Amino acid sequence: MASLAALRRRLRQQASGAKAKVLQRFFRTGPGEYGEGDIFLGVTVPQTRAVARQFTDLALADVARLLSSAIHEERLCALLILVHRFQIGDEREQYRVFQFYLRHLRRVNNWDLVDLSAVNIVGAYLVGRPTALLARLAQSRNVWERRVAIVATFAFIRAGRFRPTFTLAQVLMADRHDLIHKAVGWMLREVGKRDAAALESWLRPRYQKMPRTMLRYAIERFPPPRRRAYLAGTA
């Protein structure tokens, strides 16, 4: 059985003080910023992923301890372990991981932690099941829970089902946080990659009321003249 102490040693062997300083700024860890208080070792995502692969049999109690850590890469490593377990697990194990993830959702508290886990656990589990959970998360006062809701719909998009994304995008159009605007726009763009007509059909009656960042992300892959028309409000 893998040990928590060994995992932490392995992460620290990859640490870089210079990278940590860059990451502290990039993830907005200053007073009053969305990542306030988050601590970085300076380990890259590929490095963290490699460590996670070596400790996929870590006891769930130790995964929970990692998730409770103030260190960003330790929380990320815990989430990557959960993603791996979900992907290789049978239906019973997937349910176990899904429920564990939801119990510890308050520790999925930065945008990369959400983006690297929500679609592969929450979204993957809910495809083919009721989506009431996503509707509840989209109404949460917690910005990260709202982001989990919309990013999880990527699993539905990959399955050719766009309604969950459109439904949550409608709810989140009034959101005031730019991290939600970016996530919604990203998911809409992913719909457009697969069905441009479906995206435009949804956008046309709404785009003039959308937050600018959300719209820019959604139409990023449109031909330049079409993109300019949307931005000018003349599409």
Side-chain angles (χ1 to χ4, degrees), residues 6-22:
L7 184 154
R8 283 175 160 156
R9 283 198 300 273
R10 195 65 56 84
L11 277 177
R12 280 156 180 76
Q13 288 169 358
Q14 307 292 330
S16 163
K19 289 178 183 174
K21 290 179 181 178
V22 172

Side-chain angles (χ1 to χ4, degrees), residues 17-34:
K19 289 178 183 174
K21 290 179 181 178
V22 172
L23 292 170
Q24 297 275 159
R25 292 192 299 271
F26 184 71
F27 284 97
R28 309 285 182 85
T29 61
E33 295 182 311
Y34 64 73

